[in-house]
Amino acid sequence: MKNRNRGKVSPEWIVILCIFSFALGTFLSNRIWVVPESEDQIMPIGRRPEILAANSGDCATEKDKEELIGEFSKAHEAIEHVRSLDSSIAKLRMELPSTKNSRKIGKFENFSTILHPGSNETRKKTFMVIGINTAFSSRKRRDSVRETWMPQGKSLLQLEEEKGIVVRFMIGHSATSNSILDRAIDSEDSQHKDFLRLEHIEGYHELSAKTKAFFSTAVEKWDAEFYVKVDDDVHVNLGTLAATLARYRSKPRIYIGCMKSGPVLHQKNVKYHEPEYWKFGEEGNKYFRHASGQIYAISKDLAKYISINQPILHKFANEDVSLGAWFIGLEVEHIDDRNMCCGTPPQCEWKAQAGNVCVASFDWTCSGICKSVERMKDVHAKCGEDAATLWNALI
């Protein structure tokens, strides 16, 4: 093997010799020694008689020297370029093995690390991020939440700093830039500082898109272990929710909520109509299991999965169905926790008295607390956890 390599000429020297030969040939082809022996002498192609006559008595004029120097300068520049190219190729060869190894995906969590390198360095680490879905017209609902289970002001910041629990109302923008609706939200946010604005155009039929926008925005802003979505007409006990999620910290892909499998409604002009009902089989079929949309939580890896793949995640008519569809085919553990969908008093009240405090309470008939603005305080008084539970939660 050594003898075989010894007889080879390196590519660099082959290029150098070729360039040198070309330059020398060009020079010699343009140099004709003119001897005036006869009038029938042959003139080289491309050489005018006057130029030939001017050069006939001189072997190497100043112009010829300049041309020769120019040709060698070009050859030298080409050689330097080849050397630089050869060095770059050698460097790439050294880097390729490490790059190839870094692309190997062994576990699910490596998938997001590859697609978002170094993103964890700029995000704040927290335990969970709670996004309260709200609308422009829901100011009274937001105030009822602020007055009951959601901390305000310094307490909200303290909850984030000490317990790693982030709570924000999530909302997008109106279809008109800088509209009165947007300005109203900006004003409210300047007062309470509890909003997460999304790059999303608000609309009832755009809830699936809003869900994707929330998880993507939250993942970009916070490095949380869990991400929670809740409606603004649902009562939540934050300490109980934190303790519930903490039990699943060791499991990477958790999808927790009140799992259901409702009918696929193919009739038009009915609430929750599914235009793509035919994808679920024959008429009368049910959806696959998915968490009810009033409140659900997913672990970090699933939120990252949504953030990375959001452009190709299909949106069905109902956002909770869409979320469940995104996890079909993945190794995801579905947790059906009925404490996340307790009824309003007396049901949640009885459970609280028995020491089994509910995570969330609402009425199925209203997909939230019926007349939540008027009843939220009553639900909180009868079904709310002890004030110390949140701050004493082991998370």
Side-chain angles (χ1 to χ4, degrees):
M1 183 63 70
K2 291 182 179 179
N3 293 334
R4 189 180 301 172
N5 293 335
R6 192 175 300 167
K8 290 184 177 180
V9 179
S10 68
E12 179 180 335
W13 282 108
I14 291 174
V15 175
I16 293 172
L17 290 173
C18 290
I19 295 173
F20 181 79
S21 300
F22 174 76
L24 185 60
T26 303
F27 173 72
L28 292 177
S29 66
N30 290 330
R31 305 309 310 140
I32 301 293
W33 291 95
V34 181
V35 181
E37 293 180 352
S38 68
E39 296 180 357
D40 298 325
Q41 58 186 333
I42 300 175
M43 301 297 293
I45 297 176
R47 300 284 290 178
R48 296 190 320 212
E50 62 269 29
I51 296 177
L52 183 60
N55 294 336
S56 62
D58 201 353
C59 181
T61 63
E62 291 298 324
K63 184 176 181 180
D64 295 329
K65 292 178 182 179
E66 291 176 2
E67 290 180 356
L68 182 61
I69 293 172
E71 294 294 341
F72 276 103
S73 297
K74 292 179 181 178
H76 179 71
E77 290 176 1
I79 292 170
E80 292 299 321
H81 179 71
V82 169
R83 286 177 177 172
S84 175
L85 184 61
D86 187 65
S87 175
S88 300
I89 292 173
K91 186 177 180 181
L92 283 172
R93 285 174 178 171
M94 295 179 64
E95 293 177 351
L96 273 176
S98 60
T99 304
K100 185 176 180 181
N101 291 335
S102 67
R103 287 286 178 180
K104 290 182 179 178
I105 302 174
K107 294 184 179 180
F108 183 87
E109 55 266 25
N110 290 338
F111 183 64
S112 56
T113 303
I114 291 173
L115 294 181
H116 290 288
S119 61
N120 289 340
E121 296 178 0
T122 59
R123 296 181 300 155
K124 187 173 183 179
K125 192 170 183 61
T126 60
F127 173 66
M128 68 175 173
V129 175
I130 302 173
I132 307 174
N133 184 31
T134 191
F136 289 117
S137 60
S138 299
R139 174 62 190 264
K140 291 183 178 180
R141 284 188 178 183
R142 291 191 290 272
D143 286 339
S144 69
V145 169
R146 293 182 179 114
E147 294 169 1
T148 52
W149 60 267
M150 179 181 178
Q152 284 297 288
K154 293 182 178 180
S155 296
L156 188 65
L157 294 176
Q158 184 182 1
L159 184 66
E160 184 174 335
E161 294 295 331
E162 295 184 8
K163 308 301 293 186
I165 299 175
V166 178
V167 188
R168 296 286 189 276
F169 289 106
M170 59 160 169
I171 194 169
H173 299 271
S174 66
T176 305
S177 178
N178 196 32
S179 69
I180 187 172
L181 298 174
D182 291 308
R183 293 198 298 270
I185 293 295
D186 291 339
S187 176
E188 187 178 345
D189 189 29
S190 64
Q191 177 184 357
H192 296 281
K193 301 185 185 306
D194 55 5
F195 277 92
L196 175 63
R197 298 304 295 270
L198 308 176
E199 291 299 323
H200 168 77
I201 302 300
E202 287 290 320
Y204 179 78
H205 296 292
E206 296 298 327
L207 291 178
S208 293
K210 186 175 184 179
T211 299
K212 289 199 292 185
F214 162 63
F215 286 120
S216 299
T217 305
V219 165
E220 182 180 352
K221 190 174 180 63
W222 294 283
D223 179 17
E225 295 182 53
F226 296 94
Y227 297 83
V228 183
K229 176 261 176 180
V230 60
D231 288 338
D232 60 4
D233 56 352
V234 172
H235 181 270
V236 180
N237 286 316
L238 292 175
T240 305
L241 173 61
T244 299
L245 295 181
R247 296 200 295 266
Y248 302 102
R249 301 180 86 161
S250 61
K251 298 185 177 183
R253 294 174 295 279
I254 292 298
Y255 173 34
I256 181 171
C258 289
M259 299 295 164
K260 66 174 185 176
S261 181
V264 180
L265 301 178
H266 67 277
Q267 300 91 346
K268 294 183 178 180
N269 301 321
V270 298
K271 193 175 183 181
Y272 308 126
H273 164 64
E274 178 59 74
E276 297 181 87
Y277 62 90
W278 59 273
K279 289 185 177 181
F280 298 92
E282 302 299 326
E283 293 182 6
N285 280 1
K286 293 185 176 182
Y287 288 114
F288 40 77
R289 289 286 176 180
H290 61 277
S292 180
Q294 288 86 352
I295 180 173
Y296 49 73
I298 60 176
S299 54
K300 176 192 298 186
D301 286 350
L302 297 183
K304 284 184 177 180
Y305 174 82
I306 294 173
S307 176
I308 293 168
N309 297 284
Q310 62 166 324
I312 59 172
L313 295 178
H314 185 68
K315 303 184 297 292
F316 288 103
N318 302 300
E319 61 96 11
D320 52 358
V321 172
S322 295
L323 184 75
W326 300 337
F327 300 150
I328 293 293
L330 302 181
E331 288 295 336
V332 175
E333 184 173 352
H334 291 58
I335 305 295
D336 183 19
D337 191 334
R338 309 315 291 184
N339 268 344
M340 295 184 72
C341 54
C342 295
T344 52
Q347 183 184 0
C348 59
E349 185 179 10
W350 293 338
K351 286 193 172 186
Q353 292 174 355
N356 186 20
V357 179
C358 292
V359 172
S361 302
F362 58 87
D363 301 307
W364 284 103
T365 55
C366 299
S367 296
I369 297 176
C370 299
K371 298 182 179 180
S372 63
V373 173
E374 295 82 0
R375 297 182 59 222
M376 185 66 76
K377 288 185 178 180
D378 181 62
V379 174
H380 182 68
K382 295 180 179 178
C383 301
E385 62 192 2
D386 185 86
T389 302
L390 174 59
W391 301 101
N392 295 333
L394 300 176
I395 53 178

